[in-house]
Amino acid sequence: SQQGEEDPQALSIQEGENATMNCSYKTSINNLQWYRQNSGRGLVHLILIRSNEREKHSGRLRVTLDTSKKSSSLLITASRAADTASYFCATDGGGADGLTFGKGTHLIIQP
Amino acid sequence: KAGVTQTPRYLIKTRGQQVTLSCSPISGHRSVSWYQQTPGQGLQFLFEYFSETQRNKGNFPGRFSGRQFSNSRSEMNVSTLELGDSALYLCASSFQTGGANYGYTFGSGTRLTVV
């Protein structure tokens, strides 16, 4: 079953603009991770934020985590056509239950 | 270093048959997990192996099974295939120490089509 939801389900923006995706989850977590998937291929790990962290940066990516609201956001700045993909958040409860994924946000960057 | 290798990339099987998918993790990674991705259900956890032991299994019927070898390579098997088993099967390896997970590296997946 899905842990939570990404919002929006689809997002189309112009190249150079910033893209923000949100993720909500339901249970307590050890960490939350964001992944990118191009055209039904494998998932690429983007960034991991631990439950005791509030914000993390990696290149053009900025992730925030609010455990009180059980939500996270992924910001991609200065978007490029190559950023067109589906983005998934995944929660890790810290046990052996693997990752629990949201349904994903499909991001389209218009050239 | 080499990534996670899944074979085969594509597979077409007939209902009722069985199938075995293979996953070779990143060297040094002892944890391998499997996920099923379908348009309707999204990404769902199948099972996780660590040092040849299945640590947990998701909510899938007994037709789905797996194993891990001493070199950490893993296989998953689906018996008596159903049309609904058509999906992208993803394998991920991770480095874990002290119970902490440092992120997963996924393979490119095996696209299984059941006809």
Side-chain angles (χ1 to χ4, degrees), chain B residues 97-111:
Chain B
T97 181
N101 178 354
Y102 292 88
Y104 292 82
T105 301
F106 281 80
S108 296
T110 294
R111 173 77 62 186

Side-chain angles (χ1 to χ4, degrees), chain B residues 5-19:
Chain B
T5 303
Q6 288 189 249
T7 56
R9 286 294 310 278
Y10 301 93
L11 208 48
I12 300 175
K13 288 287 189 178
T14 304
R15 263 184 308 174
Q17 288 186 315
Q18 75 166 21
V19 66

Side-chain angles (χ1 to χ4, degrees), chain A:
Chain A
S1 62
Q2 300 295 318
Q3 162 74 285
E5 299 288 331
E6 275 99 334
D7 169 50
Q9 289 188 335
L11 178 62
S12 179
I13 60 173
Q14 295 294 122
E15 196 167 20
E17 294 181 336
N18 295 341
T20 300
M21 288 159 269
N22 302 297
C23 166
S24 62
Y25 58 92
K26 297 175 182 174
T27 61
S28 62
I29 63 171
N30 179 276
N31 63 69
L32 185 145
Q33 304 171 34
W34 285 89
Y35 289 85
R36 184 185 74 227
Q37 185 178 42
N38 291 85
S39 301
R41 297 184 60 112
L43 296 162
V44 174
H45 180 258
L46 296 176
I47 197 165
L48 180 154
I49 186 166
R50 302 192 192 286
S51 59
N52 62 352
E53 298 176 311
R54 292 296 167 258
E55 187 171 313
K56 204 162 183 180
H57 296 254
S58 177
R60 295 184 296 113
L61 305 180
R62 172 179 168 252
V63 169
T64 62
L65 178 64
D66 187 334
T67 53
S68 66
K69 294 181 180 179
K70 291 187 169 57
S71 67
S72 173
S73 68
L74 171 68
L75 168 67
I76 303 174
T77 61
S79 63
R80 306 166 181 169
D83 294 329
T84 294
S86 291
Y87 291 81
F88 295 89
C89 70
T91 55
D92 184 346
D97 296 333
L99 296 174
T100 304
F101 286 86
K103 290 192 177 293
T105 292
H106 185 52
L107 175 65
I108 298 172
I109 308 299
Q110 308 277 5

